Amino acid sequence: IERTFSIIKPDAVRRNLIGNILAVFEKNGLRPVALKKIKMTRAQAEGFYAVHKERPFYGELVESMMSGPVVVQVLEGENAILKNREVMGATNPANAAEGTIRKLYAVSVGENSVHGSDAPETAKEEIKFFFTDDEIV
Ligand code: ATP
Ligand code: MG
C-alpha cells in the first residue's frame, strides 16, 4: 500500500467539482486518508512549485494556485502514485485519455483541475508540506 499527494486545483473547486473528482479517485481504489480545503498563501504556492521556478509559466502557475481555495489530500491505495497519475490523465487536457479527470474536467494546461505527486520522494515531501502525521487517518 502506498500514499500519494493530490490537489484539487482552484479551477475545479470554482466549478463545484470537488465531489465529482473525489468520486473518480474512490472508484479507482484511491482512498482519501487526509483531506482539507485551504487557500494557499503566496509563500505556500511559490514553495510548493519551487522546482518550476525557472519555467516560463511559473508566475502564472503560482497566481492560479492562489486564485481560490484548493483541496489538498493524501490518497492511499495499491500503487497510489502511478494510479493517481493514470486517473488524472495527461498534463494538457487536449492529450488526456477518455475517462481521466483532466479529459472530463480540465479547461487548459494551466487550469488542469488536479495535481498529483510524480514519484515516491516527491510524494513524501509534498505530503509533509501540507500535513502533519496525526492528520493522516
Ligand atoms: P502536476 O505537477 O500539477 O501534477 P504535471 O506533473 O502533469 O502536473 P508539470 O510539468 O509538473 O505537470 O507542471 C506542473 C503544472 O504546471 C501543470 O499541472 C500545469 O498546471 C502547469 N503547466 C505546465 N506546463 C504549462 C504550460 N506550458 N503553460 C501553463 N501552465 C503549465
Ligand atoms: Mg508535476
Side-chain angles (χ1 to χ4, degrees), residues 52 85 115-116 118:
H52 295 310
R85 299 288 294 185
H115 162 82
D118 55 13

Side-chain angles (χ1 to χ4, degrees), residues 9 49 52 55 57 60-61 64 85 88-92 102 108-112 114-118 126:
K9 294 185 178 184
Y49 280 118
H52 295 310
R55 310 275 285 273
F57 57 82
E60 181 191 327
L61 178 59
S64 108
R85 299 288 294 185
M88 289 196 302
T91 306
N92 185 340
R102 283 165 170 168
S108 64
V109 65
E111 297 201 311
N112 62 359
V114 280
H115 162 82
S117 307
D118 55 13
E126 291 176 0

Side-chain angles (χ1 to χ4, degrees), residues 46-118:
E46 287 181 347
F48 185 75
Y49 280 118
V51 290
H52 295 310
K53 218 178 176 75
E54 306 308 324
R55 310 275 285 273
F57 57 82
Y58 179 68
E60 181 191 327
L61 178 59
V62 167
E63 290 303 326
S64 108
M65 290 305 281
M66 294 172 56
S67 69
V70 298
V71 174
V72 291
Q73 58 197 312
V74 180
L75 299 174
E76 190 176 85
E78 294 293 339
N79 295 313
I81 296 168
L82 193 62
K83 167 64 73 178
N84 183 39
R85 299 288 294 185
E86 284 172 10
V87 163
M88 289 196 302
T91 306
N92 185 340
N95 304 325
E98 285 303 323
T100 62
I101 292 170
R102 283 165 170 168
K103 175 71 176 187
L104 287 166
Y105 303 122
V107 183
S108 64
V109 65
E111 297 201 311
N112 62 359
S113 302
V114 280
H115 162 82
S117 307
D118 55 13

